[in-house]
């Protein structure tokens, strides 16, 4: 009987002093450039001290982990296990799992990792789509709504005008906060402004205007280069290329003119889709024509580029070329990746080489003339004095 009581006492004492681990998943706060990440499994508040760890990913057991001896404090223990994993293996759909077990039970920790993505923002000013609506129900007031959709950055300003005069914001104007929308290229914003005026101010001769002004850096205006044909003159077809580079945003329109008239169906032309490179865009446009059309002495072919970065005074950028003028353009435009100083040095070197070649040639000619004169003089002397030897 005493043995039974002793065993029962020991069992209940064990239950009173034993506890299962509480697990906290830990992740390394280290360099973003490292290829591996250290995950930690912190088990706390367990007793007795004996504890085992098990790591897994998507149900597959992992064995390459480290387990440290537990530390006792206030009658309970704390232990930790670590494992190194590749960054590429971190996947929210297949999380890592750590289980710490002792005689009192199991504690589980799950590592749900979402990849960090840097918030993108548009580098340059994006103009919105602007729409204005009016509402008049026959009452005492008239309402106008101005919606600006998909602009960037967030800083902006609405302005209402009545017959070209600015309406103060503190009178009839109300405005909503900007709402954001995440896109693959960055965050776009939309906002609205509302104008309410007495119906008596809405007459036939009254004009209300909504203006939207974005606050940010305008995109760079494109650089345009006209490339002469690369084909030999005996080819039947000739291709002119217009290179439009370093512009933003990506929307661009390129047209071709022949003698200041829009190119018709006698010519073939197309423009490539803009290609992004380090925050700006580039595109090519080509015009195909016959050699006969190209070789006209007075024909002028023009590439016209329209882009929103161009100011009101500069509606478009125009580059022109003709068969008689293409020789001067080849040197600059066909080698755009080579600095202009290179051509200066190359031209200077060519001229210097010509000068260096001219000096020996002149010396040779002088020596030849001297030898010729000496020969003539010697021959004449012999004829006049046949008995004298030279």
């Amino acid at each position: 009987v005493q043995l039974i009581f002793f065993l029962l006492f020991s069992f209940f004492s064990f239950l009173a002093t034993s506890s299962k681990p509480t697990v906290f998943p830990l992740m390394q706060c280290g360099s973003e450039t490292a290829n591996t990440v250290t995950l930690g499994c912190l088990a706390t508040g367990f007793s007795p001290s004996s504890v085992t760890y098990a790591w897994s990913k998507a149900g597959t057991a992992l064995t390459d982990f480290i387990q440290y001896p537990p530390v006792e404090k206030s009658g309970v223990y704390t232990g930790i296990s670590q494992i190194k994993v590749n960054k590429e293996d971190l996947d929210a759909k297949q999380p890592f799992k750590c289980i710490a077990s002792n005689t009192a039970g199991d504690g589980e920790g799950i590592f749900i990792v979402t990849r960090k993505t840097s918030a993108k923002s548009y580098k340059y000013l994006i103009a919105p789509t602007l729409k204005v609506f009016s509402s008049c129900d026959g009452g005492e007031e008239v309402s106008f709504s101005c919606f600006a959709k998909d602009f960037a950055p967030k800083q902006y300003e609405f302005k209402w005008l009545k017959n070209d005069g600015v309406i103060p914001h503190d009178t009839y104007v109300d405005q909503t906060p900007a709402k954001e929308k995440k896109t693959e290229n960055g965050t776009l914003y939309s906002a609205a402004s509302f104008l309410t005026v007495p119906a008596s101010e809405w007459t036939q001769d009254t004009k209300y205007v909504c203006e939207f002004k974005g606050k940010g850096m305008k995109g760079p205006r494109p650089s345009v280069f006209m490339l002469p044909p690369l084909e030999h003159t005996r080819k039947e077809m000739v291709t002119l290329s217009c290179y439009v580079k370093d512009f933003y945003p990506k929307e661009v329109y390129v047209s071709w003119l022949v003698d200041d008239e829009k190119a018709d169906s006698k010519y073939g032309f197309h423009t490539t889709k803009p290609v992004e490179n380090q925050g700006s865009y580039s595109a090519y446009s080509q015009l195909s024509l016959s050699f006969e059309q190209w070789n006209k002495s007075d024909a002028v072919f023009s590439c016209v580029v329209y882009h929103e970065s161009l100011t009101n005074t500069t509606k478009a950028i125009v580059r022109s070329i003709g068969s008689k003028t293409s020789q001067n353009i080849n040197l600059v435009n066909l080698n755009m990746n080579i600095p202009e100083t290179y051509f200066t040095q190359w031209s200077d070197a060519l001229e210097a080489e010509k000068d260096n070649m001219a000096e020996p040639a002149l010396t040779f000619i002088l020596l030849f003339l001297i030898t010729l004169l000496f020969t003539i003089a010697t021959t004449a002397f012999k004829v006049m004095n046949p008995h004298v030897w030279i």
Side-chain angles (χ1 to χ4, degrees):
V1 175
Q2 291 179 348
L3 179 61
I4 293 174
F5 278 110
F6 175 77
L7 293 175
L8 290 174
F9 176 79
S10 300
F11 176 74
F12 285 110
S13 298
F14 170 78
L15 291 179
T17 57
S18 64
S19 56
K20 69 176 183 178
T22 300
V23 174
F24 298 93
L26 306 175
M27 180 175 293
Q28 172 189 3
C29 297
S31 172
E32 293 293 330
T33 60
N35 295 324
T36 60
V37 177
T38 300
L39 305 180
C41 185
L42 178 65
T44 63
F46 61 90
S47 179
S49 62
S50 177
V51 65
T52 58
Y53 295 90
W55 288 86
S56 64
K57 182 181 186 293
T60 302
L62 305 175
T63 58
D64 189 18
F65 62 88
I66 301 174
Q67 178 176 331
Y68 295 94
V71 177
E72 187 270 338
K73 184 178 181 181
S74 301
V76 293
Y77 293 86
T78 299
I80 191 169
S81 176
Q82 291 181 348
I83 189 170
K84 284 188 176 182
V85 300
N86 293 325
K87 272 192 173 182
E88 291 77 8
D89 294 333
L90 297 178
D91 192 339
K93 294 181 180 179
Q94 296 181 343
F96 287 86
K97 182 186 292 186
C98 169
I99 298 177
S101 305
N102 74 345
T103 53
D106 300 336
E108 183 179 281
I110 299 178
F111 298 80
I112 300 178
V113 182
T114 56
R115 295 183 182 275
K116 292 183 179 180
T117 56
S118 57
K120 290 185 177 180
S121 60
Y122 283 92
K123 184 177 180 180
Y124 302 109
L125 192 67
I126 303 296
T129 301
L130 203 62
K131 293 183 178 181
V132 180
F133 303 93
S134 63
S135 174
C136 180
D137 56 5
E140 297 180 354
E141 294 181 332
V142 179
S143 298
F144 300 92
S145 305
C146 185
F147 296 94
K149 182 182 179 182
D150 295 343
F151 61 88
K154 188 176 181 179
Q155 294 73 25
Y156 65 95
E157 179 185 7
F158 280 105
K159 185 184 293 184
W160 287 92
L161 293 85
K162 176 183 177 182
N163 293 336
D164 298 331
V166 178
I167 300 175
H169 271 254
D170 56 356
T171 53
Y172 308 120
V173 180
D174 193 12
Q175 186 171 304
T176 65
K179 293 184 178 181
E180 65 179 39
K181 178 179 70 174
K182 302 292 184 181
T183 69
E184 61 179 4
N185 294 321
T187 303
L188 293 174
Y189 299 89
S190 297
S193 180
F194 305 96
L195 174 67
T196 303
V197 299
S200 59
E201 298 185 13
W202 178 233
T203 62
Q204 185 176 0
D205 298 330
T206 306
K207 181 177 69 173
Y208 289 94
V209 176
C210 171
E211 287 187 356
F212 176 92
K213 182 179 180 182
K215 298 181 179 180
M217 182 172 60
K218 288 187 177 181
R221 55 181 290 170
S223 299
V224 182
F225 301 88
M226 177 72 83
L227 308 183
L230 300 178
E231 293 87 353
H232 296 296
T233 55
R234 57 176 175 266
K235 290 289 183 93
E236 295 181 358
M237 298 299 296
V238 172
T239 300
L240 303 180
S241 298
C242 185
Y243 181 36
V244 187
K245 61 173 298 195
D246 298 340
F247 58 88
Y248 188 93
K250 68 184 294 185
E251 290 74 20
V252 67
Y253 178 72
V254 182
S255 66
W256 287 88
L257 302 178
V258 180
D259 294 333
D260 294 332
E261 297 291 337
K262 186 175 181 180
D264 55 25
S265 58
K266 293 186 297 184
Y267 303 88
F269 53 89
H270 75 279
T271 302
T272 63
K273 292 183 178 180
V275 177
E276 191 270 341
N277 181 32
Q278 297 182 354
S280 61
Y281 293 87
S282 299
Y284 275 98
S285 184
Q286 292 185 322
L287 178 73
S288 299
L289 62 156
S290 67
F291 176 74
E292 182 181 358
Q293 292 170 325
W294 164 250
N295 203 37
K296 290 182 179 179
S297 60
D298 57 345
V300 177
F301 304 90
S302 302
C303 166
V304 185
V305 178
Y306 301 88
H307 190 260
E308 70 175 58
S309 64
L310 303 177
T311 61
N312 294 330
T313 56
T314 308
K315 298 293 185 181
I317 298 178
V318 182
R319 295 289 182 267
S320 300
I321 190 175
S323 175
K324 305 304 179 184
T325 61
S326 63
Q327 184 177 0
N328 296 330
I329 298 177
N330 283 342
L331 184 62
V332 177
N333 284 346
L334 289 181
N335 301 278
M336 287 178 297
N337 294 329
I338 303 176
E340 292 183 3
T341 54
Y342 174 88
F343 295 108
T344 303
Q345 296 170 2
W346 180 79
S347 299
D348 294 340
L350 185 60
E351 294 297 329
E353 185 177 352
K354 290 180 180 179
D355 293 340
N356 293 335
M357 292 175 61
E359 292 179 4
L362 182 60
T363 303
F364 175 80
I365 292 172
L366 292 174
L367 291 174
F368 174 78
L369 291 175
I370 293 172
T371 304
L372 181 62
L373 291 174
F374 178 79
T375 304
I376 294 173
T378 303
T379 304
F381 183 81
K382 286 183 177 181
V383 172
M384 295 176 64
N385 302 279
H387 301 288
V388 179
W389 293 89
I390 297 178

